Structure formats: structure tokens, C-alpha cells
């Protein structure tokens, strides 16, 4: 039974320009095809339903050392959200840092089929992949943290871009990664001795290089390697009032790297990098300044990092920032620096409506998403679980598509936030077509995933079908109904198999791990000198460092031909 | 009133959060008999584990006759009503309760009254560890209500207390009142080591011996008597210590002067 | 003959991965780079205590049986249990641990690992206050103050200092090996001198008290350049002999000492002159050093987890570390014992949310140490079956717990006839992970490393993973047969 026909649904496929057309989608052997034999195929009657490509999440912390430490230290978070074993599914726990099986099931129930784990310390790459293997129903990939890697800092300081590019290529393959991730560049190495950087031109102690040089250097390396995604960047000064200035400087710095119209950088969870003011007392939104710049420049993409009012857990590679959060909140705090590579921190965080700062943060994410005119530039995320757990996405969808929903929430926020918020003056409501862009098509395009985020012939047969009839349901008015619909897919189809029906898992599939096999013209030399340096820098042998093939359960190696 | 008598000595843990006046309210005996309970990894019905009788008496709402030391989560989250246990009680008794009364004519197990919000728990025997203390990783301690223990309590009791009263007529184990921020604890007899560690507020009063006072408490004054709550004032004299200095805390430890002559060396600071 | 490089040693939490193993005719004949414990294992693992066939207890005696018979019996025991325990897991690979979680979930039992007698309190401590930590390489490169508190790495983690801390070369700090060697030479010289003096005056009764361990000298030795090594212990261990400064602490007083240090870090005045046998004036100097260093680290062991206070000792150690971060860079790390105890905690956590003591009896994971931990379940006599793997509770658990363990059917999976196996009802011989079986293990700082297979296991001896998979399959078969019978009867 390898043929399927989804009949008569309202299809939204922005990458192919399809906007709510009533049409059939044909699937064969896990791929979208032109047509199938109606008499042999499994028929799914999508009459009155919305059909979209499966959801794609460009940034969600779901696997690896940091996520797992987050799980380990929050038993009080798990106890309130338990998941029973069924004949078909494994048991587990939530809430803000769900166990691996639960992660897969919950994403799939919302119609998601592809997720990107955005932070992987290369030394712990095996751990990340082991966890990814245990996340069912989804295709996944992960981004190694390279921005503060000693080898990278040394190459860039010397100005040896080609050497750096070859090294990064080797590293991408060795850790089975998908994109270059940079977090608070220069700040993490500084944090090794408890320090940080504050502007993009601060010099990193002991390495003689600036964040600006790291960002631009790696952006150039990214281009030289022809990687499918641009550099994925968590800016310096994240979460500090007044940081929009360095965010603008970062974007300006990358202007010169963009030469062929393709984006050269992606700034993630932009909300955290868009604060104006100079203290927590007068902190406010810089969404206007930031979105103005973005509306006039086309060399970057972004995702929201939208706040949800709930008790969640922050976890990032930004060690110094997490320590700042500890100093503000006094909550339990984890710090996890990784030799030669990166740092990290974890702290629980409760976003409250009655906290002026949290409410302003909530407003910023939405302001950015609505003021940035082109939906192909700005995608929906919560930087799970930093600004909120991913299974609260339906709430964000309601806020994006319904002014009524925004007003209802804003009303309950701290008065100060209500006064400062730009939302009352914003009338825009995303259409279903635009929603499909910010939750799948745009994300897939920015990631360079050719077979995801669309329903054209040749695409992977990952489809989400929702109980929304665009002709009879006004999602802006009836946002609660719409919210329920996107939270419980009528059908989620993965590789041409129905895995979720009416919000319940009905079949188990494994999903594959995508990674880049980067081919440079000259391979990086792994000679004795290299091995010796390796042994000096790390406490593991070079031989034991790579993620061997058997670590990836279902492997999808994507060959990339570098220009170096 | 419903009387529950265990049908046998329980070996496996019994998860019985359905033994709760709010749950029994408005149900017939037949419906109560069909309430689910877990015995180890098997789900059973209440009448499979207990003999269930109904009497015309209004209170208490529920009486458990016999050894209930393996019966857990009785009265968890209860809002109203009264439970009496004529035997030993199991873990998590009255956890998170918001009203009502529980009486144990025997000993209580761990996590009795954990994170309770309101209500009254009386234990006529000993209480085990973690009395009134919150779940692992949580700082949501007891917020209100009252717990009285006639006997001794184990370790780590009254942790993160942020309201309410705990009265211990016997001895207390180590770490009593760990990280207390508000509320009061009274120990009639002796207090175990690390009393009030990480205290930031509230008060702990000990009429017996405090063998090991934490080095991070500083002596403030001597007081003649101290009020525990509106119903209880305790006669001193007491040494009053402030701490925990490691938390820049403003908690107060009242330690009996007459029973703690080894603490007289602090008097030079007064 | 073959020489295999970059082998990861499967013994302690150091997980040294630079071992060179020489194999001749499927036998390990030489070890290079390993410590004494590593060599002892690799050269002596194939002892006479090895089990080579599955065993079952019949008429009170353990007799060899077929694998099928043993698997069926094990499956029956677990499928019919009301509250089984599945314990151990620390000396096997992650691949086996994953099957363990699935099995515990399938039989609705309690899944627990050796942390419950070891660093469980450390995990509990981090659940209260978090933990500022890092991977071991950060220590090598940056640490100029290294503290070992309540642990003796020289004996228990022999290569720890030479690979990760004081005696290794880092990018920003040098090795202190030379300085240590000079100190030892000087001490040996002094000993020779004193011994010669005694020979000169045989009638003089020498003052052992003066020569013996000095209780807490002033910390002048900490004024030196280079990395500084501080050891805190109740007695002068081998590691304490090497330290630049040794703090002898009264037993069971670690909590007080660390809490006092926390207050001193905050510049508070204390009303007392000494804490835990350490004069406060020396403490103040030590705290000054800590506050002014570039990068400090505390390694701790059973001295903290097993002495009075247990997890609160870890909590206060972490709080002290965290408080020091207000002034400088300071980290803390537990000295994990078994080579893959971290792995068990990590695997359990990502699959269930909890690192140990996971109770699946209600169909979903529950966690409450003291209630759902194997030791406590056994002390209260609540379990009615057990599977023990890659551990030896028969030797390490308290008497009453072992009595209750033996009272009910006991399945054991181990390469050796250890104390627990001798008490078992069904015993499976398994292959040695890291020698005969490959897989993944996690180091004490949670870095994953691959374990190699260097020799073949004996004929018929399977890996833990394979045995567990067979048992799981059998349990599922038995349960589906039971369900079929029930529906047919209805």
C-alpha cells in the first residue's frame, strides 16, 4: 500500500504558489507524485479541510547534553505532565523539556514533520544523535556550535579563510551536522574565564579576534562551502536592554558578504535581541527600528522566539547570559562549558503576564512578526523551550492570525506593557497562506531543504491536514476553534504514511537524520601534527571524536559540493 | 461516614488518591467501591483491597481502620471533610490539601502534608521524613494550615516553609526548617543538626537541646517568651539567633537558654 | 598479534580513551598508558569466576540450562511480577541501558541504577540548585585552583590528575608535576634526615605526635605560583599527601564548613572561631585565595555523598561554587565511579525524564527518591521480583535489603559469579563491555565516548543488550498470550 491520494482539500503550498486551491495531492513510495491510480491508492477525503506541507521548525532544543541536563534537573516540571504508555507509543513526561518519545509524538500531533536541533557541542555530538534517534515521527537535523571553536578562531585570526572552510567542512561531516551555528561569538570563549563581550568589536582575550570578524568570516566560509542554510546566529548581548544596537550592527556587518541575493545570515529568536532602553526599569521594544531595517534589506532571515506566559526552562549555549538570568532570578542554575568549543547554561524561567518585562517581551515577538512585511523573512518559533514549550505553538498561530486573540491576551498583561505595546496599532492578521510560509515553506526555503515545506512533485510526502475550512471558518474571529484545529491535526502524513489521525498517533515511523557530506576539492589533512594538536586541545583522542555511522539510526547524507 | 478496613497486609504500594472526602462526596457505597486504586502495577477497585462499610455518623467522612502504611496519597489535595486513620498512615498523606482535617492515630510516613495550603493534620505518633516539604526540585513549601506531631519527626521537615505552623512535641531530625522564608516551627524537645540551614525568614523555636548550631547564625538577644501563633505562646528565656548568614537571611532561631548551656559562649556578643 | 590504539578503558569515570591494547590469539597480553586498575582488568578479566553458561536454581542449586529455558523463566518472572525492580546498569553500554528502559516500562517495574548507593545525592543536589560545571578539558586548560573534597583520586581515579587537572599541560596553565616531584624529593630527604637522627639517638623517645599529621596549618603553601592543589578529607589520604594544602575536617561536618565558607565569600562575620576543626582565620585565607583565583574547581566524591547531610552536602558545595561565580570563575564536578553510571542516568533521563529511581508501575514514569528508589523499595519489602545487571547489590546493599532481594525470584546478568549471582534464581553470563562488546559510554563530565571490542567473547556468551532483547521479546509473548487467554475466557 504505497499509494495515497488526498482528495479535494484546500491546499496551501506557497513554494509552488498554491493559495487555497481545491486540489488532490498524490503520493507514491513516500514522495509526492503527479498522479496515482485512484482504485489502488488509499484515499484520504480532505473535503472541507486545509492541506499544507508538514510543519518545519528551524530552531528547537530537543536533543543533546544541554537539553538532557535540563530534563534531569527539573523533576518538578515533569511531574505535572505525564504521558502513559499505549500499545503503540512509549511513555514519558513533559512539560517544558519533554522526554524524547513525547517530543516526537507532540510535534507530530500538530502536523509537524521536520525539526532542527540548533545547538550541538561537537564534543557531545554522539549524545545529540543518540537522542535524535529516539525522537519518532520526525525528520531532524542538528547544528554544530562553531562560533567559538579554537580552530575557527585561530584560522580567522590568521585570515586563512580557505583553511577554515576546509576545517569546517571536515567538522560538519564529523559531527553529522547541518549548519554553522554561532552563539554570542567571542562571548563563549571569554566566558571560559568568566568574562563576556559587549560590542561586536570587543577583542576576545587570548585570541585577538572580534565578534564581527568571527561572524563575517564564518559567513564567507559558509558561502565558500555552498552550505544549504546560511550561518545561524544568536547575537551578542542577547537579552540585555539596549541590545538592538548591536543587533543592527551585526546585520549591517553582514551586508558586504551578501553578493548574490541569497541570504547570508539567519538571526534566531530575534525577540531576545530587540530590546531598547538601558535598564530593566525602562526596557522597551525596538521592534520598530529592527523591522524597519529588515524591511529595507534582503540579506537575512529570522525567527521569532515568541514568549508564552508559562513556567518554562531556558537553555542556550550563551553561558554568560544564563548566569545573568541567575543573578536576576535566583533560580537553580546550570553552567556547562565545553572544552575548546563552547559554553552553555540552563535556568528555569516563569514568564508572567503581570511582569512588565515579560509582557513587553511577549509583545516584541509579535510586533516583529507583524511589522516585518515579508513573511518569507520571519518564521514562527519559541526557541523551545527558552521562550515557551513548542506544543503551545497554536497560541502563537492564533496571535498571528487574529487581532482579537492578541487583544484578549494584552488586556491581561501588566499596565506598563499595555501602554508600551505597539500591538494595539497593528491591524495585520496573517492569512492561511502566510501562516503556511512562516510555519513551513519559509523555514524549509531558508534551510535549503529542497524536498521539504512544499507539495510539488518530488517533495517528501510530509503532509499536514487540519480541520479548518477556509470557506466557512473565519480564523481571525473564531481563533479558539482555529487554535484547537492546528493543535490536533486531522491527519499527519510522514513519508506517505498516516502517523497521526484526529490528534492521536496511529503508526510509528522512525524519521531520518539529515546531515551534510561536504566535498571540498582538497580534503583537510589529518596528519600526526593535527592529531597531536587535537590531543592538546581536547581530552579525547582524535580517533574517538567523530560521530560514526552507526550512531545515526536512519541516515540521510546530503552531498554538498564546496567551492574550495 | 465510610469505614475502610484493609483486607490484607499490603506488600505492594497502594496509590489511593481517590480516598478523599471530595471524591467520596455524593457517591453511593457501590460507586465508592468501584473507585480505581493501584496495587503495585495492577489497577484494582477499592473494594478489592478494602472492606467498605457505611455508618450514619456525619463525621469523620472517612475512617481507615488498620495498618495503612502502604496506602499512599490519602487525602491528597482535599478541600473539605475529615479523615481519621486508626493505624499507621502511608506517604503523601494530605499532600497539597487546601482544607479539612486529617487525624492519624499511629505513625505517618514521608511527605505528609507536603506543600499543604490550608487545613489541619494531627499525628499522634511519629512523622517520618520530609514532613510538609515540597517535591524534589520544587521550592513550593507549605503555605498555610497547621500540622501537630505528638512524637518525633524525621529529617528535612518543614523545608521551604512559607506560611503556616508546625508543632513537634517530640524531637526533630536534621535540617528542620531548611530554607524557611515565613511561618513558624516549634520543637518541644530536642532539635537535630543543621537546624534552620539556609533560613531567610520565619521562626523556629526549640525548648529542648540544640546540640549543633550552624556556624552561620549570629546571636542577637535574649527573649523571655515567643508567640508561635494566636493559640500558643512559649515561655523562655530564649537565645535569639539571626541567620542564615550564607543566605543573608533574616530568619530567627529561638533556642532555650536553660537547656543549652553550651551556647553560653555566645553571650559575650550580647 | 594486533595492537589497537585509542581504546577506551571500561573501568572508572575517567574513561581514558588513549589505551593501547596488544592482543595475541584473542587474548589481551599487554596494556600501555593504562593505570594499575586498567591493566588489572584487561589482563585478569577472564578469571575462574567467569560464568560460561546460563544457570537456573533447581532444588536449591544453580545448574546449567539452555538459553531458551533461562530466557523463558526470566520472562515469566518479570511478566507475572506486581512490582519488580530492574537494577544496576552502570557497567554496561548505553545500547543495553536503552533496552532496560523499554523492559522496565513493559513490565511496570522500578528502574534504578547504582547512583542510588553512589552519586544519587549529587543528582538530588543538582535538582535543588543546578550545577556550574564543564567538561574536563576546561579544567586542564584553565584551572589554577583545584580542590578535591571528600575523594581520593590517587587511589580511585588514578589518572585523573595527570590527564585532567594538576599534572597536565593546559593552554593557559602549566603542569605542576615538576613542583610535586621536587616536593616529594624534599619530603623524602627530610624523612631520611629524621630517620638518621633517630638512629643516632636510639634512647630518645621520639615524639610521634609532632611527626604525625598536623591538624590544619596556616595556608602559607598556597602562596606559590602555578596551579594550587587543595585536598579536604577526614584523614590524610594519598591525594592529601600530594596536595599543596590539606584541610583535615572533622567527620560529618562538611556541611557546616561549606556553609561557613559561603558566608565568608559574602564578607559576613562569624561568631565562631573554628568550624569543623578548621580555624576560621585560616578559612578566611583560603576563601581569599578562592575569590581571587582565575579559575577554580571542586571535585567531590563519597566523602560528601555518604556523610551526614548526603544530598544537602552536595547542595551546599554547589551553592558555594555558585556564590564564588559572583567574584570569579568556579566550577564543580562529581567524581563518578563506574565507567558508565553517567550513561545510565543520561539514557534514563532522555527516555523518561528522570535519571534514576524511575517507577513505571502506573504506566508512566514516576520519580521520588526515598519512595521509588530500589534500595528503599527493598528495605520496605515491597518488590516481588528483580533483575540485576552490571552491578553487585548482593555485596553492596544493606543486609535487610539483600534479604528481601533474595526472598523473591532474582534474575542476574553478569560476566562473573559475583555475590548477587550466587543468590540468583536465573543467571545469564554476559560479555564484558569495552573488551568483548563495543558500545557507548559517558564520562564523568558527560562526554560520550565509543568503547571498542578488542577480543571475542567466549562461545555462547552474549552481550547484555542481546540478553535483554531476548527477555523483552519473551515478556511480550507471555503477556500477549495471557491477554488472549483472558479474552477467550470472557
Amino acid at each position: 500500500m504505497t499509494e495515497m491520494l488526498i482528495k479535494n482539500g484546500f491546499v496551501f503550498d506557497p513554494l509552488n504558489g498554491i493559495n487555497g486551491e481545491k486540489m488532490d495531492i498524490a503520493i507514491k513510495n513516500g514522495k509526492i507524485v503527479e498522479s496515482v491510480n485512484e482504485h489502488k491508492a488509499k484515499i484520504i477525503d480532505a473535503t472541507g479541510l486545509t492541506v499544507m506541507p508538514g510543519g518545519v521548525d528551524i530552531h528547537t532544543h530537543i536533543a543533546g547534553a544541554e537539553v538532557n541536563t535540563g530534563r534531569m534537573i527539573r523533576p518538578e516540571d515533569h511531574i505535572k505532565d505525564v504521558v502513559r504508555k499505549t500499545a503503540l507509543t512509549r511513555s514519558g513526561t513533559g512539560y517544558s523539556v519533554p522526554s524524547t518519545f513525547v517530543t516526537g509524538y507532540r510535534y507530530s500531533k500538530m502536523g509537524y514533520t521536520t525539526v532542527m536541533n540548533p545547538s550541538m557541542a561537537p564534543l557531545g555530538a554522539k549524545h545529540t544523535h543518540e537522542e535524535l534517534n529516539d525522537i519518532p515521527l520526525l525528520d531532524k537535523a542538528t547544528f554544530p556550535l562553531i562560533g567559538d571553536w579554537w580552530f575557527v578562531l585561530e584560522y580567522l585570526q590568521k585570515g586563512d579563510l580557505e583553511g577554515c572552510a576546509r576545517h569546517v567542512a571536515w567538522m560538519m561531516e564529523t559531527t553529522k551536522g547541518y549548519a554553522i551555528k554561532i552563539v554570542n561569538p567571542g562571548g563563549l570563549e571569554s566566558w571560559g574565564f568568566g568574562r563576556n563581550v559587549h560590542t561586536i568589536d570587543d577583542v576576545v582575550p587570548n585570541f585577538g579576534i572580534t565578534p564581527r570578524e568571527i561572524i563575517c568570516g564564518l559567513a564567507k566560509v559558509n558561502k565558500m562551502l555552498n552550505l544549504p542554510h546560511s550561518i545561524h546566529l544568536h547575537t551578542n548581548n542577547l537579552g540585555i536592554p539596549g541590545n538592538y544596537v548591536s543587533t543592527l550592527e551585526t546585520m549591517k556587518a553582514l551586508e558586504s558578504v551578501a553578493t548574490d541575493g541569497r541570504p547570508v545570515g539567519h538571526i534566531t529568536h530575534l525577540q531576545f535581541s530587540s530590546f531598547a532602553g538601558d535598564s530593566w526599569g525602562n526596557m522597551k521594544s525596538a521592534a520598530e527600528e529592527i523591522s524597519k531595517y529588515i524591511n529595507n534589506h534582503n540579506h537575512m532571515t529570522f525567527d521569532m522566539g515568541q514568549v508564552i506566559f508559562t513556567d518554562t526552562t531556558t537553555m542556550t549555549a550563551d553561558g554568560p547570559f544564563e548566569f545573568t538570568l541567575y543573578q536576576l532570578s535566583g533560580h537553580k542554575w546550570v553552567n556547562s562549558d565545553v572544552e575548546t568549543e563552547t559554553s552553555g547554561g540552563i535556568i528555569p524561567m516563569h514568564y508572567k503576564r503581570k511582569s512588565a518585562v515579560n509582557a513587553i517581551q511577549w509583545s516584541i515577538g509579535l510586533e516583529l512578526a507583524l511589522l516585518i512585511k515579508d513573511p518569507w523573512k520571519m518564521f514562527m518559533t519559541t526557541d523551545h523551550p527558552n521562550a515557551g514549550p513548542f506544543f503551545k505553538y497554536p497560541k502563537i498561530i492564533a496571535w498571528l492570525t487574529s487581532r482579537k486573540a492578541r487583544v484578549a491576551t494584552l488586556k491581561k498583561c501588566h499596565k506598563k506593557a499595555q501602554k508600551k505595546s505597539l500591538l494595539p496599532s497593528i491591524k495585520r492578521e496573517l492569512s492561511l497562506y502566510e501562516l503556511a510560509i512562516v510555519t513551513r515553506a519559509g523555514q524549509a526555503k531558508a534551510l535549503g531543504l529542497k524536498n521539504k515545506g512544499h507539495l510539488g512533485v518530488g517533495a517528501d510526502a510530509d503532509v499536514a491536514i487540519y480541520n479548518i475550512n477556509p470557506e466557512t471558518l473565519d480564523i481571525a474571529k473564531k481563533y479558539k476553534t482555529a487554535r484547537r484545529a492546528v493543535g490536533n491535526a486531522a491527519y499527519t502524513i510522514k513519508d506517505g504514511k498516516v502517523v497521526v489521525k484526529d490528534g492521536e498517533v496511529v503508526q510509528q515511523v522512525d524519521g531520518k537524520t539529515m546531515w551534510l557530506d561536504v566535498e571540498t576539492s582538497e580534503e583537510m589533512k589529518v596528519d600526526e601534527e593535527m592529531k597531536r594538536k587535537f590531543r592538546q586541545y581536547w581530552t579525547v583522542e582524535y580517533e574517538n571524536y567523530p560521530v560514526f555511522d552507526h550512531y545515526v539510526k536512519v541516515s540521510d547524507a546530503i552531498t554538498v559540493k564546496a567551492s574550495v | 461516614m465510610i469505614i475502610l478496613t484493609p483486607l490484607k497486609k499490603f506488600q505492594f504500594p497502594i496509590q489511593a488518591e481517590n480516598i478523599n472526602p471530595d471524591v467520596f462526596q455524593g457517591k453511593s457505597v457501590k460507586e465508592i467501591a468501584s473507585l480505581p486504586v493501584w496495587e503495585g502495577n495492577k489497577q484494582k477497585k477499592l473494594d478489592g483491597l478494602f472492606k467498605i462499610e457505611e455508618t450514619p455518623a456525619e463525621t469523620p467522612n472517612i475512617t481507615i481502620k488498620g495498618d495503612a502504611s502502604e496506602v499512599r496519597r490519602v487525602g491528597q489535595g482535599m478541600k473539605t471533610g475529615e479523615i481519621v486513620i486508626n493505624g499507621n498512615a502511608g506517604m503523601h498523606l494530605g499532600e497539597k490539601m487546601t482544607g479539612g482535617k486529617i487525624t492519624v492515630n499511629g505513625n505517618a510516613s514521608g511527605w505528609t502534608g507536603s506543600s499543604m495550603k490550608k487545613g489541619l493534620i494531627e499525628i499522634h505518633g511519629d512523622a517520618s521524613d520530609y514532613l510538609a516539604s515540597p517535591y524534589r526540585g520544587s521550592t513550593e513549601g507549605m503555605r498555610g494550615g497547621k500540622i501537630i506531631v505528638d512524637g518525633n519527626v524525621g529529617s528535612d521537615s518543614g523545608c521551604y516553609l512559607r506560611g503556616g505552623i508546625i508543632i513537634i512535641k517530640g524531637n526533630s531530625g536534621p535540617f528542620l526548617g531548611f530554607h524557611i522564608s515565613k511561618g513558624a516551627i516549634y520543637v518541644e524537645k530536642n532539635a537535630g543538626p543543621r537546624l534552620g540551614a539556609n533560613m531567610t525568614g520565619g521562626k523556629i523555636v526549640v525548648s529542648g537541646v540544640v546540640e549543633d548550631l550552624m556556624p552561620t547564625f549570629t546571636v542577637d538577644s535574649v527573649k523571655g517568651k515567643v508567640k508561635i501563633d494566636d493559640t500558643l505562646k512559649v515561655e523562655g528565656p530564649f537565645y535569639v539567633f539571626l541567620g542564615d548568614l550564607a543566605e543573608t537571611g533574616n530568619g530567627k532561631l529561638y533556642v532555650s537558654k536553660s537547656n543549652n548551656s553550651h551556647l553560653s559562649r555566645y553571650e559575650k556578643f550580647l | 598479534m594486533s595492537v589497537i590504539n585509542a581504546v577506551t578503558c571500561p573501568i572508572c569515570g575517567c574513561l581514558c580513551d588513549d589505551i593501547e591494547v596488544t592482543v595475541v590469539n584473542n587474548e589481551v597480553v599487554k596494556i600501555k598508558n593504562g593505570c594499575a586498575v586498567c591493566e588489572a582488568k584487561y589482563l585478569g578479566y577472564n578469571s575462574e569466576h567467569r560464568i560460561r553458561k546460563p544457570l537456573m536454581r533447581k532444588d536449591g542449586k544453580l545448574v546449567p540450562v539452555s538459553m531458551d529455558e533461562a530466557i523463558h523463566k526470566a520472562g515469566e518472572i518479570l511478566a507475572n511480577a506486581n512490582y519488580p525492580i530492574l537494577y544496576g546498569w552502570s557497567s554496561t553500554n548505553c545500547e543495553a541501558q536503552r533496552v532496560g528502559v523499554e523492559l522496565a516500562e513493559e513490565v511496570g517495574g522500578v528502574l534504578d541504577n547504582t547512583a542510588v548507593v553512589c552519586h544519587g545525592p549529587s543528582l538530588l543536589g543538582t535538582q535543588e540548585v543546578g550545577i556550574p560545571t564543564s567538561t574536563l578539558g576546561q579544567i586542564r586548560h584553565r584551572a589554577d585552583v583545584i580542590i578535591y573534597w571528600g575523594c581520593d583520586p590517587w587511589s580511585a581515579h588514578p589518572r585523573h590528575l595527570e590527564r585532567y587537572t594538576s599534572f597536565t599541560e593546559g593552554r593557559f596553565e602549566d603542569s605542576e608535576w615538576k613542583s610535586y616531584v621536587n616536593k616529594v624529593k624534599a619530603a623524602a630527604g627530610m624523612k631520611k634526615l629524621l630517620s638518621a637522627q633517630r638512629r643516632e639517638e636510639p634512647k630518645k623517645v621520639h615524639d610521634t605526635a609532632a611527626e604525625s599529621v598536623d591538624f590544619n596549618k596556616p595556608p602559607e603553601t598556597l602562596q606559590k605560583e602555578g596551579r594550587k592543589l587543595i585536598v579536604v578529607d577526614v584523614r590524610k589520604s594519598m591525594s592529601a599527601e600530594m596536595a599543596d594544602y590539606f584541610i583535615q575536617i572533622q567527620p560529618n561536618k562538611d556541611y557546616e564548613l561549606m556553609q561557613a565558607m559561603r558566608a565568608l565569600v559574602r564578607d559576613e562575620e562569624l561568631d565562631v572561631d573554628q568550624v569543623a576543626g578548621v580555624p576560621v582565620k585560616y578559612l578566611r585565607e583560603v576563601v581569599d585565595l578562592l575569590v581571587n583565583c582565575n579559575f577554580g574547581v571542586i571535585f567531590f566524591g563519597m566523602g560528601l555523598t555518604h556523610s551526614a547531610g548526603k544530598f544537602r552536602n552536595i547542595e551546599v558545595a554547589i551553592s558555594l561554587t555558585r556564590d564564588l561565580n559572583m567574584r570569579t570563575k568556579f566550577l564543580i564536578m562529581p567524581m563518578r565511579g563506574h565507567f558508565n553510571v553517567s550513561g545510565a542516568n543520561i539514557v534514563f533521563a532522555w527516555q523518561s525524564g528522570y535519571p534514576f529511581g524511575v517507577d513505571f508501575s502506573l504506566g508512566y514514569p514516576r520519580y521520588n527518591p526515598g519512595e521509588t528508589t530500589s534500595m528503599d523499595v527493598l528495605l520496605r519489602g515491597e518488590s516481588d521480583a528483580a533483575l540485576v545487571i552490571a552491578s553487585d547489590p548482593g555485596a553492596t546493599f544493606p543486609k535487610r535489603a539483600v534479604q528481601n532481594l533474595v526472598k523473591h525470584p532474582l534474575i542476574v546478568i553478569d560476566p562473573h559469579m559475583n555475590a548477587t549471582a550466587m543468590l540468583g534464581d536465573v543467571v545469564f553470563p554476559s560479555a564484558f563491555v569495552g573488551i568483548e562488546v563495543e558500545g557507548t559510554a559517558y564520562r564523568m563530565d558527560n562526554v560520550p565516548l565509543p568503547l571498542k571490542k578488542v577480543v571475542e567473547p567466549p562461545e555462547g556468551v552474549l552481550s547484555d543488550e542481546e540478553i535483554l532483547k531476548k527477555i523483552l521479546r519473551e515478556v511480550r509473548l507471555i503477556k500477549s498470550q495471557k491477554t488472549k487467554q483472558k479474552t477467550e475466557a470472557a
Side-chain angles (χ1 to χ4, degrees), chain A residues 85-243:
Chain A
K85 169 176 155 55
T86 68
L88 202 51
T89 56
R90 299 284 301 267
S91 68
T93 50
Y95 165 83
S96 62
V97 201
S99 51
T100 49
F101 305 121
V102 170
T103 302
Y105 304 146
R106 284 194 177 161
Y107 257 114
S108 193
K109 286 181 187 185
M110 296 192 303
Y112 272 78
T113 51
T114 304
V115 293
M116 301 282 130
N117 182 61
S119 271
M120 171 175 74
L123 184 60
K126 292 181 194 61
H127 183 172
T128 306
H129 284 285
E130 289 205 295
E131 289 197 22
L132 288 179
N133 288 338
D134 274 347
I135 298 179
L137 308 180
L138 303 173
D139 285 346
K140 43 249 164 184
T142 177
F143 308 160
L145 289 152
I146 306 195
D148 285 75
W149 221 36
W150 283 2
F151 277 121
V152 163
L153 296 182
E154 288 167 0
Y155 275 119
L156 291 181
Q157 197 270 335
K158 278 192 289 212
D160 182 2
L161 279 181
E162 278 202 22
C164 186
R166 265 193 287 280
H167 204 98
V168 171
W170 165 82
M171 202 268 223
M172 197 62 68
E173 205 181 304
T174 304
T175 59
K176 300 229 174 354
Y178 188 82
I180 293 176
K181 176 74 189 291
I182 304 169
V183 172
N184 187 7
L188 308 190
E189 166 50 42
S190 307
W191 183 242
F193 281 113
R195 292 190 277 275
N196 198 0
V197 293
H198 303 288
T199 75
I200 65 170
D201 292 304
D202 282 359
V203 179
V204 178
N206 298 312
F207 284 88
I209 192 171
T210 65
R212 180 192 296 271
E213 288 165 342
I214 300 171
I215 297 167
C216 293
L218 284 173
K220 289 183 187 140
V221 160
N222 202 67
K223 278 183 83 178
M224 286 162 82
L225 294 176
N226 292 321
L227 301 186
H229 184 37
S230 61
I231 53 168
H232 198 100
L233 178 61
H234 159 141
T235 60
N236 302 107
N237 288 327
L238 187 111
I240 311 291
N243 64 8

Side-chain angles (χ1 to χ4, degrees), chain A residues 163 284 294 305 377 472:
Chain A
K284 59 191 167 98
I294 294 173
K377 285 181 181 165
T472 58

Side-chain angles (χ1 to χ4, degrees), chain A residues 311-486:
Chain A
D311 182 20
T312 186
T313 310
T314 65
M315 51 178 67
T316 72
D318 198 341
F321 169 63
E322 294 287 339
F323 182 59
T324 309
L325 284 182
Y326 161 68
Q327 290 173 304
L328 288 171
S329 67
H331 293 322
K332 50 187 156 182
W333 164 61
V334 172
N335 185 75
S336 51
D337 298 338
V338 179
E339 67 213 49
T340 309
E341 294 176 356
T342 181
S343 78
I346 303 168
I347 196 165
M349 179 81 176
H350 194 151
Y351 293 103
K352 298 191 169 118
R353 290 178 190 77
K354 294 301 179 197
S355 151
V357 169
N358 293 162
I360 293 171
Q361 283 184 274
W362 169 82
S363 183
I364 292 175
L366 292 169
E367 290 167 13
L368 287 167
L370 296 166
L371 291 176
I372 294 172
K373 300 193 181 124
D374 185 357
W376 291 99
K377 285 181 181 165
M378 172 60 135
F379 316 129
M380 184 188 85
T381 65
T382 56
D383 184 20
H384 164 83
N386 286 284
F390 67 82
F391 44 88
K392 299 282 184 183
Y393 281 175
K395 281 197 167 178
I396 311 176
I397 290 174
W399 290 323
L400 289 171
T401 55
S402 162
R403 186 160 183 275
K404 198 165 153 211
R406 298 195 287 267
V407 167
T409 305
L410 185 60
K411 247 202 318 243
K412 302 194 196 122
C413 291
H414 191 284
K415 290 266 183 299
K416 209 160 139 188
Q418 287 190 45
K419 263 198 244 143
K420 291 188 181 186
S421 173
L422 302 173
L423 292 179
S425 63
I426 299 176
K427 304 239 175 346
R428 182 179 176 200
E429 291 169 335
L430 292 191
S431 63
L432 278 172
Y433 186 79
E434 290 171 310
L435 185 63
I437 296 171
V438 305
T439 57
R440 41 213 88 208
Q443 309 219 15
K445 181 166 179 223
L447 287 166
L449 291 167
K450 297 204 169 46
N451 299 323
K452 302 285 185 202
H454 71 101
L455 297 172
V457 170
D460 289 347
D462 295 342
V463 190
I465 306 176
Y466 299 110
N467 263 315
I468 295 177
N469 185 332
E471 283 181 349
T472 58
L473 181 67
D474 180 351
I475 62 173
K477 255 221 203 93
K478 296 260 188 254
Y479 65 88
K480 289 192 180 153
T481 312
R483 213 163 56 192
R484 262 194 303 276
V486 295

Side-chain angles (χ1 to χ4, degrees), chain C residues 452-465:
Chain C
K452 284 196 166 83
K453 171 177 169 166
V454 297
V455 293
E456 293 293 326
E459 178 86 38
V461 172
L462 302 175
S463 69
D464 294 314
E465 190 188 350

